């Protein structure tokens, strides 16, 4: 009897603890979902009056909606470059036996982890200035792609190593070129890995503030992460009406992308083959 009671109390304690943790993380999300529809949002969570005045006020901001499109361009362009070049590099490193290959790969990954973007911004800014890439979206895309490539290559190489080579050997017998093999055989097999790297790259660029803030001078080119910094009153207080509404719109693309990829691939990977 005592054992049964202890077991029941233990289960109740676990459920209470999990509910408290869930509430701790859910309350900020609940505020984010309700505050944009409240005419006078506050820090505390409350039932909104379901008005759309905040969205109308946000549309009156000349840079808010445009900044979301800028974020799409920067994140999409970076993701495309990272996926394409990382896939080609990972395939070459996986199939070609180069002396010091593993040391080179781990060295690039280590350096990209230790030397952060903040520590390299001065030389990167100087490089962008000499190449006339200041106030250029292309400059931001190239710099962000260069910072993400080492880790992306490292991730995709594991997928490449786990793919069977029998299909590739059969394609070579029929005269397929290396690029044709990569496009028609390797890419369909490692598609879950490419999706993983794409989501990871988009998430990194979407939330990046420092690089576009330093390199982009024109407000009409600034992404959402930078424009969000301007949604404050003249006294320095956050404008909760605009900030909550903009935060909701800012979060939706990444959430929808994650749901789509998770539904399509399930994020259940074993090497390069989905299970």
């Amino acid at each position: 009897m005592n054992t049964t009671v202890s077991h029941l109390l233990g289960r109740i304690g676990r459920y209470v603890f999990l509910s408290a943790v869930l509430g701790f993380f859910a309350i900020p999300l609940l505020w984010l979902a309700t505050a944009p529809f409240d005419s006078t949002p506050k820090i505390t969570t409350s039932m909104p009056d379901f008005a759309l005045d905040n969205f109308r006020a946000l549309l009156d901001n000349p840079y808010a909606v445009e900044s979301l499109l800028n974020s799409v361009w920067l994140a999409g362009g970076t993701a495309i470059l990272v996926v394409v070049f990382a896939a080609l590099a990972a395939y070459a490193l996986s199939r070609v036996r180069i002396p010091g290959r593993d040391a080179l790969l781990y060295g690039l990954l280590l350096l990209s982890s230790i030397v952060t973007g903040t520590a390299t911004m001065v030389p990167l800014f100087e490089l962008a200035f000499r190449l006339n890439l200041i106030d250029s979206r292309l400059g931001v895309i190239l710099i962000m792609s260069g910072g993400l490539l080492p880790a992306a290559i490292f991730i995709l190489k594991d997928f490449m190593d786990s793919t069977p080579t029998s299909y590739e050997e059969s394609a070579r017998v029929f005269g397929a070129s290396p690029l044709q093999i990569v496009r028609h055989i390797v890419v369909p097999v490692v598609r879950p890995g490419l999706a993983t790297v794409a989501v990871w790259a988009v998430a990194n660029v979407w939330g990046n503030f420092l690089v576009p803030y330093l390199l982009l001078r024109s407000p009409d080119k600034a992404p959402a992460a930078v424009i969000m910094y301007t949604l404050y009153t003249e006294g320095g207080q956050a404008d909760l009406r605009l900030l909550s509404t903009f935060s909701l719109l800012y979060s939706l693309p990444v959430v929808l992308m994650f749901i789509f990829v998770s539904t399509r691939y399930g994020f259940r990977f074993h090497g390069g083959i989905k299970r």
Side-chain angles (χ1 to χ4, degrees), residues 15-29:
Y15 288 143
V16 170
F17 175 75
L18 292 176
S19 300
V21 173
L22 181 61
F24 178 80
F25 288 101
I27 289 177
L29 296 178

Side-chain angles (χ1 to χ4, degrees), residues 22-232:
L22 181 61
F24 178 80
F25 288 101
I27 289 177
L29 296 178
L30 182 62
W31 181 88
L32 179 63
T34 58
F37 302 96
D38 196 341
S39 300
T40 56
K42 301 178 178 60
I43 296 297
T44 57
T45 303
S46 59
M47 285 297 297
D49 50 13
F50 293 102
L52 298 178
D53 297 339
N54 298 342
F55 291 92
R56 298 189 187 97
L58 186 66
L59 291 176
D60 292 336
N61 188 298
Y63 303 115
V65 177
E66 190 175 9
S67 68
L68 294 172
L69 297 178
N70 292 333
S71 292
V72 172
W73 283 111
L74 295 179
T78 302
I80 291 173
L81 287 182
V82 169
V83 169
V84 171
F85 286 105
L88 294 175
Y91 179 74
L93 290 171
S94 176
R95 297 298 187 261
V96 180
R97 300 300 177 183
I98 303 174
R101 177 193 62 181
D102 294 337
L104 173 64
L105 189 61
Y106 282 104
L108 288 175
L109 181 64
L110 183 63
L111 290 176
S112 65
S113 302
I114 296 176
V115 183
T116 60
T118 305
T120 59
M121 277 315 301
V122 173
L124 286 177
F125 183 88
E126 178 68 16
L127 179 62
F129 178 78
R130 291 181 180 274
L131 295 176
N132 294 322
L133 293 176
I134 298 296
D135 201 24
S136 169
R137 296 187 185 95
L138 178 61
V140 176
I141 291 174
L142 292 177
I143 289 177
M144 294 295 297
S145 300
L148 297 175
L149 267 175
I153 294 172
F154 184 84
I155 295 172
L156 283 180
K157 183 181 177 297
D158 180 61
F159 284 88
M160 299 294 183
D161 290 340
S162 302
T163 57
T165 59
S166 57
Y167 296 155
E168 301 174 35
E169 295 169 354
S170 300
R172 290 192 186 94
V173 171
F174 288 97
S177 66
L179 287 179
Q180 288 176 328
I181 292 174
V182 172
R183 178 182 177 184
H184 297 291
I185 297 176
V186 177
V187 168
V189 176
V190 300
R191 193 176 297 167
L194 300 178
T196 302
V197 171
V199 171
W200 171 74
V202 168
N204 274 275
V205 178
W206 194 264
N208 190 282
F209 169 81
L210 182 63
V211 175
Y213 179 75
L214 293 178
L215 296 183
L216 297 176
R217 293 289 181 263
S218 302
D220 58 336
K221 296 180 181 180
V226 176
I227 294 301
M228 186 181 296
Y229 180 71
T230 66
L231 300 180
Y232 291 84

